[in-house]
Amino acid sequence: MIHIRFSDNHYGGEIDLSGTPGDLRSICQSILELLQAQDMQVCIPVNELDPAPYDSCLNSLLIRKSDCSLKVMVDGSSLKIEGTPEKLEVFADWFNFDTSTESGYHHHFDYYEGNEWVDPASVLLIISVQ
């Protein structure tokens, strides 16, 4: 089950997207399938749980093709990720966890100065294994 927690702080916010290695690989697969389809976006349902230590839970993941740099944002109660097909293809690999990856392992996807792939307004995304 995929879970998305969100806290909105003065740094622009922080999102924790978590799941088992298989759950996270399914996101990778959904992105790659979107890139082969005529569709412009895919919506992935997620499960809500206690948001602690975050402020709230988001209830869906929307991935959308666009003509811009990769951007992670909160739109209502959804996590929205958009970018060019080329950038989304690279981004998909961030969800490609090996089955043996231990719970608690995570990585951060965020903008840093000089990074032309990620939009400066993008919210910090932590992708973590449950």
Side-chain angles (χ1 to χ4, degrees):
M1 295 200 286
I2 297 167
H3 304 285
I4 304 174
R5 298 175 177 123
F6 172 65
S7 285
D8 188 12
N9 58 35
H10 63 280
Y11 296 112
E14 179 177 303
I15 300 165
D16 177 71
L17 187 156
S18 62
T20 66
D23 294 332
L24 297 171
R25 281 194 312 275
S26 73
I27 295 173
C28 174
Q29 188 62 39
S30 292
I31 294 170
L32 296 176
E33 288 172 4
L34 171 65
L35 298 177
Q36 298 302 315
Q38 296 297 319
D39 300 329
M40 291 301 294
Q41 64 186 24
V42 63
C43 186
I44 301 169
V46 301
N47 295 304
E48 291 191 39
L49 75 163
D50 179 4
Y54 290 82
D55 298 330
S56 62
C57 288
L58 303 178
N59 61 22
S60 65
L61 169 59
L62 181 67
I63 300 169
R64 183 174 184 278
K65 295 179 201 173
S66 72
D67 60 354
C68 64
S69 298
L70 279 168
K71 187 172 184 181
V72 176
M73 65 196 109
V74 174
D75 185 9
S77 61
S78 294
L79 169 58
K80 184 176 174 185
I81 300 169
E82 65 180 28
T84 64
E86 175 190 31
K87 292 174 182 168
L88 286 172
E89 183 175 11
V90 172
F91 180 69
D93 200 44
W94 283 72
F95 297 94
N96 197 9
F97 289 89
D98 186 79
T99 304
S100 63
T101 306
E102 294 185 25
S103 179
Y105 181 83
H106 67 280
H107 41 240
H108 295 222
F109 180 85
D110 59 340
Y111 173 77
Y112 56 85
E113 183 129 2
N115 184 341
E116 296 177 8
W117 278 70
V118 180
D119 188 286
S122 192
V123 176
L124 168 63
L125 174 63
I126 301 167
I127 303 167
S128 48
V129 175
Q130 293 177 338

